[in-house]
Amino acid sequence: MRSEQGLRFSVWSSSIAFILACCAPLFAESPLSSQGLFKEGQRFYAMGDYARAAASFTRNVQETPSDPGSLLWGGFSYMAASQYDSAIAVFQSIPGASGIVFLKAQVGLGMALSAQRKYTEANIRLIQALSLNETAFRSSGYYQLQKNFWEMGNIEKSDEYAGKLLLEFPHALETRLLAKELSAPAQGLARVPPAITNATFGVQVGAFGDRANAKRLLAELRVRYHHVEIREKTGNDKKTVYAVVVGDFDVREKAAQFAQEKLGERFKAYIIIEK
């Protein structure tokens, strides 16, 4: 059972392949598909040859581009082959009008982003899928969300989704996996939550000798982000430097993830600072 602090025990040797086993597309066939290529892809998938499965489904999509079933199978095949960028591209191409297929694609997209440690974006996709109130894949969404929030250091939200999984799906495969994680102390695999500290962290994206230049960057960034500020520092030459800092995070890892996902393309020389 959990402690009052929400301590989570986890067997992280359980790979994303287990989640794929829970979430692989369940179609027996796809009526719009060229059945030869579609069944070939299914056969390769069942054999564990995920790269060849993805290739078959991709060729099938080229012949029948309006078939969301082949797109979904292709996305999960790329996932199983650890080709996450390709999986993300395929899942994103599935239109919202495709109903349950779109829901499954959103969960698959969330998992692919999670595998790349892009937890914030992954959680948005997963929560969006859960908001559609479909039972399919709901247990997988809960499981991935509790895992992502744990990795982000948000124990309260992690416990919230773990509780939903245990309550709504007591017999699901994901619930059994979570139960295994909770029993991990017997195996010496206790997972320690992030250390609690009073420090906060931000991402310094620029430093200027002229405050006016810092204010211009500040105004630009405040259009897109919260918690943007100018912090005065003293340089090695004893002159005042005006640093522009984005974000206010309770752990360094969150600041680093934010910088990589949101700022990295523009600000190549950002640094994580303790406030």
Side-chain angles (χ1 to χ4, degrees), residues 218-237:
L218 175 78
E220 177 186 344
L221 292 173
R222 277 185 170 171
V223 175
R224 300 184 60 185
Y225 305 108
H226 298 295
H227 301 296
V228 186
E229 60 182 315
I230 294 175
R231 300 179 69 86
E232 295 187 12
K233 300 182 177 182
T234 302
N236 294 332
D237 57 0

Side-chain angles (χ1 to χ4, degrees), residues 2 5-8 146 149-150 153-163:
R2 297 166 186 263
Q5 292 77 23
L7 180 62
R8 174 75 44 72
Q146 64 85 22
F149 278 117
W150 174 267
N154 191 333
I155 309 305
E156 182 178 356
K157 292 295 289 185
S158 179
D159 283 350
E160 175 187 334
Y161 284 103

Side-chain angles (χ1 to χ4, degrees), residues 80-95:
S82 300
Q83 297 180 34
Y84 302 120
D85 287 336
S86 296
I88 289 169
V90 171
F91 288 136
Q92 288 178 330
S93 71
I94 296 177

